[in-house]
Amino acid sequence: TQKKLGVKEQRELDALPATIQARAQEQQQLLSGMQGATVEQRQSASRRAAGITALLEAAFERWSELEERAGGG
């Protein structure tokens, strides 16, 4: 049997969709703002966008893990 979520984990699970949406929007803004930017600005935005991709992947993985433990997946 799997352990159910504690209060802290349930709050984390509840917050993940908004967190993911905010990061995805930030990434989209970075990428759309690259047009007309200097090389340095594009490089900086590209690095940040790549970092956001890693954060999104981790958030989706955590969401899946918590959903499974909560019995929803």
Side-chain angles (χ1 to χ4, degrees), residues 23-34:
R23 293 290 173 254
Q25 287 175 344
E26 179 184 1
Q27 186 178 49
Q28 183 60 40
Q29 288 172 348
L30 279 169
L31 296 174
S32 65
M34 290 172 108

Side-chain angles (χ1 to χ4, degrees), residues 32-73:
S32 65
M34 290 172 108
Q35 187 175 14
T38 66
V39 171
E40 293 83 11
Q41 289 170 330
R42 285 194 304 268
Q43 288 173 342
S44 177
S46 181
R47 282 192 299 274
R48 178 65 184 142
I52 292 171
T53 297
L55 290 172
L56 286 170
E57 289 172 357
F60 277 116
E61 185 175 318
R62 181 65 173 156
W63 191 7
S64 177
E65 174 187 321
L66 292 172
E67 279 284 319
E68 186 175 314
R69 287 188 46 212

